[in-house]
Amino acid sequence: SITLSNPPGDNVIDGFQFNGSIATEMKHGSLQEWQLYGGELPLLQNYHPYHQHNTHFQIMSTSLDTSGIVAQPGDWRDTIPLYKEMNHTVRFVAPFKSLVMVHCHILKHEDLGMMTLWNVTEAPDTYLIDDYDVTVRHGLHEPMHQHGGGGVPIWLTILLMVVFCIAGVIGTVLVMRRSLRKQAACDDSGSDDSGEQSTLRTDPESQS
């Protein structure tokens, strides 16, 4: 959770003025859920617009129903007002490995210290599953194929496809050659029969 200001209205986040230090760390690509609170009294008089850099967040719930005038679940925002009696639960994915600035969007409040930093760090090591470009979940310390999982390696799939294609071409060529030989044999047989009949018709001895 994060709270902008405090009951007296000081320019602080979670009780501290900005001093350049990092307030929290999160993993790159991780799903984050945060509760955003306004800390200043009175209840709905003084507000502080929460703003974060690098990515939008989605509102999951809000403590005060405003019929969508201020915010409602499902909205995507990068800024949202916070009152003592109006807080929100939001979610977002840390999209970049870098520092994220979070501050009150009233410039004077930000300049006077209502600002903080988050650090998005590199995600844990991941592994390829049998040469596929698919990574396993965070926290798995061995490649999945070492546990008996995974599918057919992609190089083997490609090799089998090439072999099947070559076999198909060879089979087609053999069938065509056999058909041509049969056709040629039939043609030769027909020519011999015609020659014999012609000889019988023109042979004088056979006519006498």
Side-chain angles (χ1 to χ4, degrees), residues 4-5 14 35 44 60 98 112 131 150 169:
L4 271 60
S5 193
D14 291 334
Q35 286 73 44
L44 288 172
M60 306 306 297
S98 63
L112 292 175
D131 297 333
V169 171

Side-chain angles (χ1 to χ4, degrees), residues 162-184:
V162 171
V163 170
F164 290 148
C165 288
I166 293 174
V169 171
I170 293 174
T172 302
V173 170
L174 291 176
V175 170
M176 291 178 64
R177 289 183 62 183
R178 183 176 299 175
S179 299
L180 290 173
R181 287 177 179 175
K182 286 183 178 181
Q183 184 64 41

Side-chain angles (χ1 to χ4, degrees), residues 8-172:
D10 295 330
N11 294 302
V12 295
I13 289 182
D14 291 334
F16 296 95
Q17 284 187 320
F18 180 67
N19 59 9
S21 62
I22 294 171
T24 190
E25 290 189 347
M26 59 189 68
K27 299 297 184 182
H28 175 220
S30 62
L31 176 63
Q32 298 288 318
E33 181 172 294
W34 285 74
Q35 286 73 44
L36 313 180
Y37 297 103
E40 186 173 356
L41 293 171
L43 303 182
L44 288 172
Q45 180 171 333
N46 298 312
Y47 82 103
H48 297 280
Y50 169 91
H51 175 70
Q52 70 180 44
H53 290 204
N54 293 17
T55 184
H56 286 69
F57 52 81
Q58 187 174 35
I59 299 172
M60 306 306 297
S61 64
T62 180
S63 64
L64 188 62
D65 184 9
T66 62
S67 299
I69 296 175
V70 176
Q72 62 183 357
D75 287 351
W76 287 92
R77 303 286 187 84
D78 65 2
T79 306
I80 192 169
L82 299 176
Y83 295 84
K84 182 65 175 177
E85 287 299 304
M86 183 187 294
N87 51 75
H88 314 278
T89 300
V90 302
R91 283 184 180 179
F92 61 92
V93 174
F96 308 109
K97 190 180 72 170
S98 63
L99 295 176
V100 179
M101 181 179 291
V102 177
H103 58 87
C104 177
H105 221 236
I106 297 174
L107 184 59
K108 180 179 179 180
H109 296 175
E110 173 191 354
D111 290 346
L112 292 175
M114 199 180 300
M115 182 168 63
T116 191
L117 287 175
W118 296 340
N119 185 27
V120 179
T121 63
E122 188 170 1
D125 291 337
T126 55
Y127 301 88
L128 295 179
I129 303 176
D130 290 328
D131 297 333
Y132 283 107
D133 189 18
V134 180
T135 54
V136 301
R137 296 179 179 179
H138 293 169
L140 187 63
H141 300 296
E142 297 180 59
M144 186 172 287
H145 60 76
Q146 292 185 6
H147 296 281
V152 179
I154 191 168
W155 64 265
L156 181 56
T157 302
I158 295 173
L159 179 60
L160 290 174
M161 290 175 63
V162 171
V163 170
F164 290 148
C165 288
I166 293 174
V169 171
I170 293 174
T172 302

